[in-house]
Amino acid sequence: MPFTDVLNSAQKQAVQHREGPLLIVAGAGTGKTTVITERIGWLIKEGLAEPHEILALTFTDKAAGEMQERVDQLLPYGYLDMWISTFHSFGERILQTHGIDIGLPTEFRLLTQTEQWMFIHEHLDDFDLDYYRPLGNPTKFIHALITHFSRLKDEHITPAEYLAYAESLRLNRDQQEFTKREAENDPELIEAKRIEEVANAYHVYEQLLAKSGGAGPGSAGEGALDFGSLITATLDLFTQRPNLLKKYREQFKFILVDEFQDTNWAQYEMVKMLSAPKNNLTVVGDDDQSIYKFRGASISNILAFKKDYPNAEQVVLTENYRSKQNILDLAYRFIQLNNPNRLEVQLTNGSAESSVSKKLQAAKKGVGIIEHIEEKTEAGEASAVVKKIIELKEKKTGRVWSDFAILVRANDHAQAFILALERAGVPYQSVTSRGLYRKPEVLDILNYLKLVDNYHESTAVWRVLTSRAFAIPDSDLITLNEVAKRKSQSLYETARLAGVYNVSETAKTALARFVSLVEKHTALARRGSAHEVAIGFLEDSGYMNVLTQGGRVKDQATQAKIDAINQFCRVIQDFERGSEDTSVRSFMRQIELEKNAGESGKMAVDLETGPDAVRVMTVHTAKGLEFPFVFLVNLVEQRFPTMERRDAIAVPDALVRETVPKGDIHTEEERRLFYVGITRAQEGVFFTSAKDYGGSRMKRPSQFLHELGLVEKEEAVAKKKTQKKPAKKIDVVPSGKAEPGYAGQPLTTAVKKHSFSSLAKYDDCPLKYKFAFVLKVPARGSHHFSFGNSVHHTLYQFLTQVQERRSAQQGDLFGTQEEKQQEGLPVSFDELIAMYEKNFIDDWYVSKKQRMEYFQKGKHALKDFYEQYAKMPVGHLALEQRFTVKIAERIVGGSMDRIDKEGEKVHIIDYKTGKSKDKLEKEDKRQLMLYAAAARDPHVLDADVAKVTYYYLEDGSMLSLEPQPEDYEDVTEWVGETAAHIESGDFTPTPGRMCRFCEYKDICDFADVNA
């Protein structure tokens, strides 16, 4: 369908804007994501830019992924890697490629906030701290320092600037002879010393990052960055390397920024720098939804855009496709209390002729529900909310639990509502970004790792014995505990000798299996990694088999457990990628450090595919979401709005670059957050409060209830509601409602993009695909995979370095694609081997001997490659080129290892680290032809493909295919048919000879390992 059929006039105006700066003010529910993706598609279809010439930036990986998916669906053709990403991912990509130009290592480590805490904790003695290192609690201010350093980077304040400011205070103090009053505890002297201390700490922190590879035991590498540095270092790179800035300015013909109101000063500076001088910059945002001041967002950016670009076109989107009009009117009257610090006022600028209205107009007809519910106690408030939800669900036909959302101001306020939902038997999903390490299934794994590291951890033994893997009866556990206490021995020793004690035969069998597994995995832990031991426990104990039931997951709660296990396994893998010591002991030490830093484990929650359940979340988390019915709760003083909490260490006003609006900034931020909560509601919004929250004083209603005009006129109605009959208890899963995605329903909407590996896995066995991509069951790794990644990463780094050095030798930053053969290679063989040693992944080898054999095998293969490559024509069109292409109306993504020019055509090369073959099999041809189809796509490379080649590194041999029309037809038919089967939900297993090599054979009911 052409965009003209789906866009209103204002959206169309924004999409069809041709050149120059554009400000799109997109109110809640006005389709801003549609506009920004349609604009990308329109620019490409009109020939104003190629896909890789458009840079689109947003703030979360989820938002970037959704934007990418929409563009994939919008464009009827393929393209080279598109630059749609978060600000931080963009900075990371630029720095990984060019950071060496400003002294950054190409393999820098990116620290999370928790890793920053551990990093500073590890180096605390290197900081000359006095004020910020109290003797009784030396780690008290680490979090405050981290936040402070982040704020400095939001404003792009360098250590040198901070130190200079501190020096100016000292000099000023000396001039005024403040030193004479030092004994009198002069406050100005104390403040000057404090500033000097924290400025020096910032300087030391940046120096330590440059020297270190990260945080925690065994961290490796030659440099680290935090998230703020990704932006500041990119700014520094563009400032210090004008030729590089010129390259990207020429590449990015159009730049689009989503959620512009959430940018900080440094991010806006980067965007302005890149878009100049043509300033084809489109920003989309809504100042009334700027709610991330605590993360460094600068509302002044969107307020000042028209001042920075006085000739910018502006489009205001006001047609709301979400809410009923009376809900929108209520929200609009409320947010106007933030005037004059609103864009609506700024753009109008006192002129009736240029007046701008952000008043939203509902596309949906009808009147929404607006109610205030007041109760005596917090428990009564929670109960009333649940009763109202049940009432609405029963009264309105077709309603499901996920139509309702309970929005709290802080995670701590959710517990009362969770308890009320549990008591009523109402299914719920607590949407939080933390708490992975407290999930029962993750606790089982953590405790198993703990006891493998130390048998004497009796609490860990007890936890594992009570887990679903062994399920020892309580009566037998009581017996074992009594024996252990009487004999003064560990619970593990008691379990090991359980055969002589009075426990059931069931327990004896389970305990014997338990001891056998612990001994096996203890031996594995001496030579293997934490991930290998964790996967060993999950598979060997039957833990995963109990959950998956051979691929027949019984319900969504079970799937949630599998997801949590999968996320925790990724935590272990992330740890191992950044640590030289990947042992169980090292990992458990890391977990303890994280807990000391206040980390409880990040969690990824997918609300789109989650269970049918009432959502309980913070208002911040609800940003970007919508629900038919929304409950804004705990509307009392000091809860919503909250009391202002300033940063423990504030950035000195003299250094702040942001233009801070005048007025009560905190209350205005809280008001914007409340406005976001109201505008999540489609059909009904309920405001709830209580008088007693357990303190010594009764709570007064929130000032927001007064500002909405709801407190007085709704009191009588609220009182009546508290006298209704108790709601009847209902089943957790409504009867007759199918569980989506579990009973073989079509998965068309779930599958966004395919790849060769996913399609090939389905060919191997549909159930294998389901385990990997639908259930996402963690699987045992392979040393072949580790070895292949080690060599591939090394070759990419080597070839990139060769090209960069040759370009530098020619005096041209970017080099040319057709260069004459030069004497020798600018990167030595010793440097190549050093890269290999650094990149070598030593996971999943069965022994040190095998690991060393593969390591030496890689060195020999690289030696042969180096000698052969030195004789070849130099220069490549691309290395590790990512692509997205449409084949058989399906979106397929992938990456080509190497693309060389061969006359007027291209030669695509794919490296293989396995044994060479005598001929190409059907699967091999399809993989190569997938690359060929992508390369010849007019919107990817638009190249004639001379041949596609497997390059076997082990012996230097090659197998090539010269694409023929029938080959293209075959790969198109294969993609279409395989994708259709996947989308239909057909995961019927096909056991056979592949079962012996399948990573899921131990949990699959259908595996035929003897085939």
Side-chain angles (χ1 to χ4, degrees):
M1 180 184 293
F3 76 89
T4 52
D5 293 339
V6 297
L7 301 182
N8 61 45
S9 59
Q11 291 175 326
K12 202 178 304 180
Q13 180 186 353
V15 167
Q16 293 180 308
H17 174 78
R18 297 188 73 83
E19 295 183 340
L22 169 65
L23 170 63
I24 304 174
V25 183
T30 57
K32 69 176 181 62
T33 305
T34 297
V35 169
I36 202 167
T37 52
E38 288 283 356
R39 175 156 172 75
I40 292 172
W42 184 82
L43 289 170
I44 296 169
K45 291 173 184 176
E46 289 293 306
L48 296 175
E50 293 295 321
H52 67 280
E53 294 174 331
I54 298 173
L55 172 63
L57 298 170
T58 187
F59 283 88
T60 66
D61 291 327
K62 182 175 183 292
E66 288 176 354
M67 195 183 299
Q68 180 73 65
E69 288 168 8
R70 289 202 189 193
V71 173
D72 287 342
Q73 299 292 341
L74 195 62
L75 298 179
Y77 40 72
Y79 51 84
L80 287 174
D81 186 31
M82 189 176 285
W83 290 69
I84 296 178
S85 73
T86 64
F87 276 90
H88 290 119
S89 295
F90 172 75
E92 185 175 12
R93 182 172 178 179
I94 293 293
L95 294 174
Q96 284 178 338
T97 306
H98 305 290
I100 195 170
D101 289 344
I102 54 172
L104 288 176
T106 54
E107 295 300 309
F108 60 80
R109 177 171 166 78
L110 184 60
L111 303 185
T112 64
Q113 192 174 62
T114 299
E115 289 169 331
Q116 285 177 268
W117 190 97
M118 293 188 290
F119 176 78
I120 294 176
H121 178 268
E122 182 181 347
H123 295 282
L124 201 55
D125 290 338
D126 295 317
F127 292 85
D128 187 15
L129 298 175
D130 179 25
Y131 187 95
Y132 289 111
R133 189 179 180 179
L135 289 175
N137 186 6
T139 63
K140 176 180 179 180
F141 287 103
I142 292 181
H143 278 301
L145 288 169
I146 292 169
T147 300
H148 185 61
F149 298 159
S150 177
R151 296 289 179 267
L152 293 167
K153 293 180 181 183
D154 291 340
E155 301 268 338
H156 197 200
I157 299 167
T158 65
E161 288 176 296
Y162 209 168
L163 288 169
Y165 173 71
E167 176 73 4
S168 70
L169 291 181
R170 187 185 68 79
L171 293 174
N172 187 50
R173 183 190 71 211
D174 291 344
Q175 291 171 2
Q176 297 182 29
E177 298 184 345
F178 284 164
T179 51
K180 293 180 181 179
R181 290 185 283 168
E182 183 170 354
E184 302 173 16
N185 294 321
D186 181 77
E188 292 184 66
L189 175 62
I190 294 172
E191 178 64 6
K193 284 187 173 181
R194 184 191 70 80
I195 292 290
E196 187 173 13
E197 178 177 316
V198 76
N200 186 63
Y202 185 36
H203 173 66
V204 171
Y205 172 73
E206 290 296 286
Q207 285 187 319
L208 290 171
L209 283 181
K211 297 175 183 177
S212 172
S219 297
E222 299 176 354
L225 295 178
D226 55 32
F227 278 90
S229 298
L230 293 176
I231 306 301
T232 57
T234 302
L235 278 170
D236 293 340
L237 175 68
F238 288 151
T239 301
Q240 297 173 30
R241 296 292 183 268
N243 283 343
L244 193 64
L245 174 61
K246 180 173 180 288
K247 169 189 181 295
Y248 282 106
R249 279 177 170 174
E250 291 175 351
Q251 176 179 336
F252 299 132
K253 294 181 179 178
F254 291 88
I255 299 177
L256 302 93
V257 180
D258 193 14
E259 303 287 8
F260 182 62
Q261 75 278 353
D262 295 334
T263 55
N264 60 40
W265 191 92
Q267 289 164 339
Y268 187 25
E269 281 300 297
M270 183 180 72
V271 168
K272 287 193 287 189
M273 184 182 289
L274 276 171
S275 62
K278 293 183 178 179
N279 297 326
N280 288 331
L281 172 62
T282 298
V283 299
V284 186
D286 180 11
D287 59 303
D288 291 333
Q289 297 186 76
S290 178
I291 59 173
Y292 294 111
K293 178 67 177 174
F294 70 96
R295 293 183 187 170
S298 171
I299 192 173
S300 63
N301 288 346
I302 193 167
L303 295 177
F305 186 81
K306 285 284 285 187
K307 295 178 183 176
D308 294 335
Y309 301 97
N311 296 323
E313 183 177 345
Q314 67 188 39
V315 178
V316 183
L317 306 180
T318 58
E319 188 168 356
N320 176 284
Y321 297 95
R322 176 185 300 158
S323 308
K324 298 296 177 66
Q325 188 64 54
N326 61 326
I327 295 175
L328 297 177
D329 291 343
L330 180 77
Y332 182 67
R333 289 194 302 271
F334 174 75
I335 200 60
Q336 283 186 304
L337 295 170
N338 272 3
N339 290 342
N341 292 329
R342 292 181 60 244
L343 194 59
E344 185 176 43
V345 177
Q346 305 270 335
L347 293 178
T348 299
N349 198 26
S351 170
E353 295 179 357
S354 61
S355 64
V356 172
S357 174
K358 290 180 60 184
K359 188 177 189 301
L360 300 176
Q361 301 298 321
K364 293 182 177 180
K365 304 300 181 183
V367 178
I369 304 171
I370 300 173
E371 287 186 14
H372 170 226
I373 300 173
E374 184 182 44
E375 293 291 329
K376 291 181 180 180
T377 65
E378 181 179 21
E381 177 190 2
S383 178
V385 167
V386 175
K387 288 176 182 177
K388 175 60 72 172
I389 289 172
I390 295 171
E391 174 191 322
L392 288 168
K393 183 176 181 297
E394 292 179 344
K395 183 186 298 183
K396 296 184 177 291
T397 306
R399 288 300 172 200
V400 294
W401 296 117
S402 52
D403 287 343
F404 303 90
I406 300 173
L407 305 186
V408 296
R409 176 61 183 83
N411 277 313
D412 293 345
H413 301 164
Q415 192 58 36
F417 299 93
I418 289 173
L419 289 173
L421 289 162
E422 287 178 347
R423 290 193 188 103
V426 174
Y428 69 90
Q429 182 181 25
S430 179
V431 183
T432 176
S433 58
R434 289 290 187 272
L436 179 65
Y437 301 160
R438 299 306 306 167
K439 291 291 183 182
E441 50 279 3
V442 173
L443 282 172
D444 290 342
I445 303 171
L446 278 171
N447 279 279
Y448 190 79
L449 294 176
K450 185 183 290 186
L451 79 87
V452 163
D453 183 50
N454 183 359
Y455 292 165
H456 301 294
E457 290 281 359
S458 290
T459 55
V461 174
W462 179 87
R463 173 79 200 195
V464 174
L465 290 178
T466 58
S467 73
R468 68 185 70 245
F470 302 102
I472 306 295
D474 289 345
S475 58
D476 291 315
L477 280 174
I478 292 171
T479 300
L480 292 175
N481 277 323
E482 289 174 347
V483 171
K485 184 176 181 180
R486 187 171 66 249
K487 292 183 173 292
S488 298
Q489 64 187 23
S490 71
L491 184 57
Y492 177 78
E493 285 298 316
T494 309
R496 195 169 64 84
L497 301 171
V500 301
Y501 301 129
N502 186 27
V503 295
S504 67
E505 291 301 316
T506 300
K508 288 179 181 178
T509 302
L511 288 168
R513 186 166 61 89
F514 163 75
V515 171
S516 175
L517 286 182
V518 172
E519 290 176 350
K520 174 184 177 180
H521 295 143
T522 300
L524 175 62
R526 295 191 189 103
R527 55 177 172 77
S529 67
H531 191 230
E532 289 177 272
V533 176
I535 294 296
F537 164 64
L538 292 171
E539 292 185 354
D540 298 340
S541 69
Y543 197 104
M544 288 306 298
N545 202 28
V546 173
L547 286 174
T548 61
Q549 298 181 355
R552 296 183 294 272
V553 175
K554 64 179 181 179
D555 54 34
Q556 291 165 327
T558 305
Q559 180 62 56
K561 295 179 186 299
I562 297 173
D563 290 342
I565 292 171
N566 196 39
Q567 290 183 52
F568 183 65
C569 286
R570 286 200 295 270
V571 168
I572 304 177
Q573 290 174 307
D574 289 342
F575 160 76
E576 292 178 355
R577 275 192 287 270
S579 178
E580 293 179 354
D581 183 358
T582 61
S583 66
V584 169
R585 177 163 295 178
S586 178
F587 174 70
M588 294 306 295
R589 191 160 62 244
Q590 172 85 356
I591 290 293
E592 286 305 309
L593 279 171
E594 288 191 23
K595 289 180 178 178
N596 290 337
E599 178 60 70
S600 59
K602 291 182 180 178
M603 294 184 63
V605 179
D606 188 349
L607 292 174
E608 293 182 2
T609 60
D612 178 29
V614 174
R615 314 299 194 202
V616 184
M617 67 182 78
T618 65
V619 188
H620 280 102
T621 304
K623 175 76 163 57
L625 303 176
E626 58 184 42
F627 305 91
F629 301 100
V630 166
F631 291 79
L632 282 160
V633 300
N634 289 177
L635 300 183
V636 294
E637 60 177 352
Q638 298 183 6
R639 286 209 170 194
F640 206 168
T642 62
M643 294 179 63
E644 183 174 10
R645 295 180 181 177
R646 298 180 181 273
D647 288 341
I649 309 174
V651 177
D653 290 341
L655 294 176
V656 173
R657 306 188 200 278
E658 176 191 358
T659 303
V660 181
K662 296 179 181 179
D664 188 347
I665 303 304
H666 171 69
T667 299
E668 290 183 8
E669 172 96 353
E670 290 288 296
R671 200 174 277 127
R672 290 193 294 270
L673 184 61
F674 197 69
Y675 173 83
V676 166
I678 296 172
T679 54
R680 299 311 93 196
Q682 297 170 322
E683 300 177 29
V685 57
F686 300 84
F687 306 94
T688 76
S689 60
K691 295 179 179 179
D692 183 1
Y693 286 87
S696 58
R697 295 173 53 196
M698 294 294 102
K699 291 287 187 181
R700 291 196 301 267
S702 165
Q703 74 175 74
F704 292 165
L705 289 175
H706 288 288
E707 292 171 354
L708 288 170
L710 291 175
V711 172
E712 294 78 12
K713 64 183 181 182
E714 288 295 329
E715 281 182 344
V717 177
K719 186 175 181 180
K720 290 179 182 177
K721 294 181 185 304
T722 63
Q723 298 172 351
K724 286 190 175 181
K725 294 180 181 179
K728 63 180 181 181
K729 192 169 187 307
I730 52 178
D731 295 330
V732 172
V733 179
S735 59
K737 179 168 175 57
E739 296 292 331
Y742 295 95
Q745 289 89 345
L747 296 175
T748 308
T749 56
V751 181
K752 305 294 184 182
K753 182 183 286 189
H754 301 280
S755 66
F756 172 77
S757 61
S758 68
L759 295 169
K761 199 173 288 277
Y762 187 89
D763 266 4
D764 286 347
C765 174
L767 185 56
K768 181 179 179 181
Y769 177 97
K770 183 180 181 182
F771 278 128
F773 296 102
V774 180
L775 302 179
K776 299 179 181 177
V777 176
R780 189 183 298 273
S782 162
H783 64 274
H784 296 295
F785 186 75
S786 297
F787 179 64
N789 275 351
S790 302
V791 175
H792 273 76
H793 199 173
T794 299
L795 287 177
Y796 171 71
Q797 195 173 337
F798 167 71
L799 295 175
T800 302
Q801 196 75 273
V802 168
Q803 299 221 115
E804 287 181 355
R805 290 189 184 179
R806 278 190 170 140
S807 296
Q809 288 171 358
Q810 294 174 356
D812 177 359
L813 179 61
F814 312 113
T816 59
Q817 296 297 346
E818 296 181 4
E819 305 168 35
K820 295 181 180 180
Q821 180 71 39
Q822 298 181 12
E823 291 293 328
L825 292 171
V827 180
S828 69
F829 177 69
D830 288 342
E831 287 179 289
L832 172 60
I833 296 303
M835 293 175 191
Y836 175 60
E837 290 172 345
K838 184 176 179 180
N839 290 323
F840 190 76
I841 303 167
D842 56 5
D843 293 344
W844 301 109
Y845 294 95
V846 298
S847 65
K848 289 184 179 178
K849 179 183 178 183
Q850 186 192 50
R851 185 163 44 213
M852 184 53 65
E853 286 174 349
Y854 269 84
F855 180 76
Q856 293 299 331
K857 181 171 136 179
K859 289 179 71 171
H860 292 312
L862 290 172
K863 182 176 183 295
D864 293 340
F865 174 85
Y866 188 87
E867 293 172 352
Q868 189 169 344
Y869 182 74
K871 304 171 186 176
M872 298 173 63
V874 299
H876 311 291
L877 280 176
L879 299 170
E880 288 195 17
Q881 178 62 64
R882 292 180 291 179
F883 64 85
T884 300
V885 68
K886 283 194 175 179
I887 298 178
E889 299 304 312
R890 266 74 178 191
I891 299 168
V892 183
S895 176
M896 295 177 268
D897 287 343
R898 181 172 135 197
I899 306 173
D900 291 353
K901 192 78 173 173
E902 193 161 296
E904 296 299 316
K905 299 184 178 182
V906 297
H907 180 194
I908 303 168
I909 298 172
D910 188 65
Y911 297 122
K912 293 292 181 185
T913 50
K915 291 184 178 179
S916 58
K917 297 181 179 181
D918 295 329
K919 65 176 183 177
L920 294 171
E921 305 292 342
K922 181 180 289 187
E923 181 179 306
D924 301 326
K925 291 180 180 179
R926 284 173 174 167
Q927 181 176 18
L928 294 175
M929 285 306 303
L930 191 60
Y931 298 151
R936 79 168 188 168
D937 188 290
H939 303 280
V940 178
L941 288 179
D942 195 18
D944 287 334
V945 180
K947 57 185 175 181
V948 276
T949 296
Y950 276 160
Y951 187 133
Y952 294 97
L953 293 162
E954 188 170 330
D955 59 7
S957 64
M958 297 186 188
L959 277 179
S960 297
L961 172 68
E962 297 180 5
Q964 302 299 318
E966 57 268 24
D967 296 322
Y968 287 108
E969 292 173 5
D970 174 73
V971 74
T972 300
E973 183 179 343
W974 173 67
V975 169
E977 289 183 356
T978 308
H981 282 295
I982 291 171
E983 292 158 6
S984 72
D986 179 7
F987 300 114
T988 305
T990 55
R993 64 179 184 84
M994 294 298 294
C995 291
R996 283 180 294 169
F997 311 104
C998 178
E999 58 267 44
Y1000 303 106
K1001 63 180 181 292
D1002 294 330
I1003 64 170
C1004 178
D1005 290 348
F1006 307 95
D1008 184 2
V1009 295
N1010 298 316

